[in-house]
Amino acid sequence: MYQITDRAKEIDLAAGGTRDDYEPFADPRAATKQAIDFFQLASAKVTPADLYVERWLAAST
């Protein structure tokens, strides 16, 4: 789990976040979307389909 968190922090930094405001367990809203998506997928909190269901529903008629 530490490796997942470290990688999510790296993604957050690359997307413009800072290490000080990223804590995926306490407040995921402080992280960038890319870091949150990675963390949720890597920790099995969501499946890849969960990330795109809203976009799919919006595009369908």
Side-chain angles (χ1 to χ4, degrees):
M1 194 55 100
Y2 293 118
Q3 291 174 334
I4 293 171
T5 303
D6 288 344
R7 180 63 184 135
K9 286 180 183 181
E10 291 172 1
I11 293 169
D12 191 51
L13 281 174
T18 64
R19 285 192 188 267
D20 296 337
D21 67 359
Y22 181 73
E23 183 55 51
F25 298 108
D27 186 15
R29 293 167 294 161
T32 60
K33 180 160 176 35
Q34 295 93 339
I36 292 169
D37 289 348
F38 169 79
F39 180 79
Q40 289 178 337
L41 281 171
S43 60
K45 301 221 184 265
V46 297
T47 63
D50 292 337
L51 297 176
Y52 300 104
V53 72
E54 292 298 324
R55 186 186 310 171
W56 177 71
L57 289 172
S60 64
T61 57

